[in-house]
Amino acid sequence: MKIDPDNKADLSAQIAEAIRDAIVSGQLIVDERLPSEAELADHFAVSRPTVREALKRLAAQSLIRTQRGAFGGAFVNRLSYPEAYGQQITTATLLLSMNAISFDVACEARYALERACTPLATLRRTPDTLATMRAEIHRQGHPGLTDESFCASDVAFHRALVDSAGNPVLSYQLAGAVEAMQPLMNMITFTARSREAIVGFHTRIADALSSSDAEAAQTALTELEAYTLTLGRDVMAARAPK
Amino acid sequence: MKIDPDNKADLSAQIAEAIRDAIVSGQLIVDERLPSEAELADHFAVSRPTVREALKRLAAQSLIRTQRGAFGGAFVNRLSYPEAYGQQITTATLLLSMNAISFDVACEARYALERACTPLATLRRTPDTLATMRAEIHRQGHPGLTDESFCASDVAFHRALVDSAGNPVLSYQLAGAVEAMQPLMNMITFTARSREAIVGFHTRIADALSSSDAEAAQTALTELEAYTLTLGRDVMAARAPK
DNA sequence: TTACATTTAAATGTCTGACAATTTAAACGC
DNA sequence: GCGTTTAAATTGTCAGACATTTAAATGTAA
């Protein structure tokens, strides 16, 4: 069931992989209890610290959870949407920050994905998601808002747009793309004029969703993308020349 | 720089979080060497096994890599696209398999995301990606292909389609969506007739990309989605009635 | 002087054994 | 029968030791 050849990789990595395979292949099902650390150590013929390192690796990926005490132990964890969101966001954020992704590329990806949602969103938008979008638009019009708060509200607006599509898999996928952009967006200084323009686009998008006009929503999103791109390029241009 | 309050969570989890925060906030930059395990243990006032568990957690997320020997240690890892792909795929696969995502929802998300790529793909498709798509189409026509191989070729075709968009962030995002569908697709039995139909759709998509006809590509994708949906529903209907 | 072999030191990987903390189930007493 | 106590099982943490690996420092010979 779980064996362990004598290759040269870390034992804890090998053991973690063996258990991970057992989980993804369905040999271990959700909420099933793994053998105790002592039993695993015996099974794999290693020491308990080595087993523990393997289990911590799995815990870091939310594949298992541990419980102390009698009849405690490590249990196969049901990967919930919030956990998956979280991993998705941290991975996407690191990928962008560590690989010198240009503003243009990130922006293009984000809006392409959002446009993928709009046809569904026009069909399925609920009063709830529309209200969220309207509320964020209203907040964005407040003059005293810091740039960072404006950005956060922008993210909230776009997440509501994505959630409007009513498809949890899409929401999960796009959470990373939208949130990972935030550090890049935070570098932008939003003038009163640019804020006004963005609020205008947001209003058009919300109106289009209200009236189930998919084409208008697409157009507004595309124009917002172009506008965001000019804002970003201005920032990059101002930072680059040294 | 990294402190540690006296709350009740696992020490190794707290330490891992402290180091992770230092990485994402930029205090620790790519390829920078972390203090040795002994130094970290001293700094956080814990034992070395506890530090090691924390480091293994970070290693499981590809945030650090370790190197043995003198002048070895733990280094901040540049999260590469392949690593990010891998995490994305395992997370998406688990999310789908553990949360009873219906075939319909997964299928809808996948094709919505692929449609997001087509406008860009018609602009940027290269001879290389087109050749890959044609090659996979040709393979799919081979009669001796097992269902599983047919599925794998299907995934390869769609990955080539996504890669045609020439946006690494999009490719990364969609890798999970496309690959995670594979276990669901593997449950489908592809008859000669359904294979012929799918090859027809694929050919239309490749042709549309060749001639830079975005609208035709979108239409073909939408029809392929509808067709895949009927195939999937037949399988589900055949499995459900007990 | 240069090239190669050897030594050495620093670091991670692993083991052993122990104790602390926590939690549940069973035993006990009323 | 019910509340309390005890016991057992399990994870969390620690200390110290040894093995292994790696690269720099050192020594040696051509």
Side-chain angles (χ1 to χ4, degrees):
Chain A
M1 137 81 139
K2 318 155 194 166
I3 41 176
D4 208 16
D6 43 6
N7 65 32
K8 302 210 290 185
D10 290 358
L11 290 176
S12 69
Q14 290 181 52
I15 293 168
E17 197 176 349
I19 299 176
R20 176 163 41 238
D21 288 346
I23 293 176
V24 300
S25 71
Q27 292 175 265
L28 293 168
I29 56 178
V30 167
D31 291 337
E32 184 172 343
R33 182 182 174 279
L34 273 66
S36 72
E37 295 175 354
E39 288 169 325
L40 286 172
D42 197 50
H43 176 78
F44 288 112
V46 298
S47 67
R48 196 158 80 91
T50 303
V51 167
R52 283 183 60 79
E53 288 178 10
L55 294 178
K56 294 315 164 198
R57 295 177 116 110
L58 299 175
Q61 298 178 300
S62 303
L63 281 170
I64 61 170
R65 62 178 185 281
T66 54
Q67 208 171 2
R68 294 177 69 170
F71 291 75
F75 297 83
V76 178
N77 194 34
R78 157 163 278 123
L79 186 63
S80 66
Y81 277 103
E83 283 167 341
Y85 276 26
Q87 293 184 216
Q88 171 81 2
I89 289 168
T90 52
T91 303
T93 304
L94 280 167
L95 192 62
L96 260 61
S97 69
M98 285 182 171
N99 287 276
I101 304 289
S102 74
F103 189 84
D104 290 21
V105 170
C107 205
E108 177 179 280
R110 173 183 161 171
Y111 282 99
L113 293 171
E114 287 194 30
R115 271 195 300 273
C117 293
T118 49
L120 294 169
T122 50
L123 292 174
R124 306 210 188 120
R125 82 286 185 283
T126 62
D128 198 47
T129 56
L130 281 176
T132 303
M133 293 171 73
R134 300 286 186 194
E136 295 299 336
I137 290 174
H138 184 258
R139 177 187 300 174
Q140 288 158 20
H142 195 282
L145 217 57
T146 65
D147 279 353
E148 200 165 328
S149 299
F150 184 82
C151 258
S153 173
D154 184 70
V155 167
F157 174 86
H158 286 275
R159 286 203 59 155
L161 168 61
V162 168
D163 289 338
S164 296
N167 186 313
V169 178
L170 270 180
S171 292
Y172 150 73
Q173 289 281 345
L174 300 205
V178 173
E179 302 249 354
M181 279 285 291
Q182 201 165 6
L184 290 173
M185 297 290 288
N186 270 331
M187 303 188 336
I188 298 177
T189 307
F190 293 98
T191 64
R193 198 157 57 85
S194 61
R195 289 190 187 193
E196 198 181 327
I198 290 173
V199 167
F201 288 121
H202 286 177
T203 305
R204 280 173 56 194
I205 293 169
D207 289 347
L209 256 55
S210 295
S211 56
S212 297
D213 186 345
E215 205 161 329
Q218 297 262 356
T219 308
L221 259 179
T222 303
E223 290 177 28
L224 176 55
E225 176 184 359
Y227 187 73
T228 307
L229 213 46
T230 62
L231 288 181
R233 281 186 174 148
D234 288 349
V235 173
M236 299 303 152
R239 290 165 56 97
K242 47 187 176 297
Chain B
M1 137 74 142
K2 320 154 194 166
I3 41 175
D4 208 14
D6 43 6
N7 64 30
K8 301 211 288 184
D10 290 358
L11 289 176
S12 69
Q14 291 180 52
I15 293 169
E17 197 175 351
I19 299 177
R20 176 161 42 238
D21 288 346
I23 293 175
V24 300
S25 71
Q27 293 175 263
L28 293 168
I29 56 177
V30 167
D31 291 335
E32 183 171 343
R33 182 180 174 281
L34 273 67
S36 72
E37 296 175 353
E39 289 169 326
L40 286 171
D42 198 51
H43 176 79
F44 288 113
V46 298
S47 67
R48 194 158 84 91
T50 303
V51 167
R52 282 183 60 79
E53 287 178 10
L55 293 179
K56 294 314 166 198
R57 295 178 117 109
L58 300 175
Q61 299 179 299
S62 302
L63 281 169
I64 62 170
R65 63 179 184 279
T66 55
Q67 208 171 3
R68 294 178 71 170
F71 291 74
F75 298 82
V76 178
N77 192 36
R78 157 163 278 125
L79 186 63
S80 66
Y81 277 102
E83 283 167 341
Y85 276 25
Q87 293 185 215
Q88 171 82 1
I89 289 168
T90 52
T91 303
T93 304
L94 281 167
L95 191 62
L96 259 60
S97 70
M98 284 182 171
N99 287 276
I101 304 288
S102 74
F103 189 84
D104 291 22
V105 170
C107 205
E108 177 179 282
R110 175 183 159 172
Y111 282 99
L113 293 171
E114 288 195 31
R115 270 195 299 274
C117 292
T118 49
L120 295 168
T122 51
L123 293 175
R124 304 207 191 123
R125 84 285 184 282
T126 62
D128 197 47
T129 56
L130 280 177
T132 303
M133 293 171 75
R134 300 286 185 194
E136 296 299 337
I137 289 173
H138 184 259
R139 177 187 300 175
Q140 287 157 21
H142 195 282
L145 217 58
T146 65
D147 279 353
E148 201 165 326
S149 300
F150 184 82
C151 256
S153 173
D154 184 69
V155 167
F157 174 87
H158 286 276
R159 287 203 60 156
L161 168 61
V162 169
D163 289 339
S164 296
N167 185 312
V169 177
L170 269 181
S171 293
Y172 151 72
Q173 288 281 343
L174 299 205
V178 174
E179 302 249 356
M181 278 285 292
Q182 201 165 6
L184 289 174
M185 298 290 289
N186 269 331
M187 304 190 334
I188 297 177
T189 306
F190 292 98
T191 64
R193 199 158 57 87
S194 61
R195 289 191 188 191
E196 198 181 327
I198 290 173
V199 167
F201 287 122
H202 286 177
T203 305
R204 281 174 57 193
I205 293 168
D207 289 346
L209 254 55
S210 295
S211 57
S212 297
D213 185 344
E215 204 161 329
Q218 297 263 353
T219 308
L221 259 178
T222 303
E223 289 176 28
L224 176 55
E225 175 183 359
Y227 186 73
T228 307
L229 212 47
T230 62
L231 287 181
R233 281 185 174 151
D234 288 347
V235 173
M236 300 302 152
R239 291 165 55 94
K242 51 192 175 297

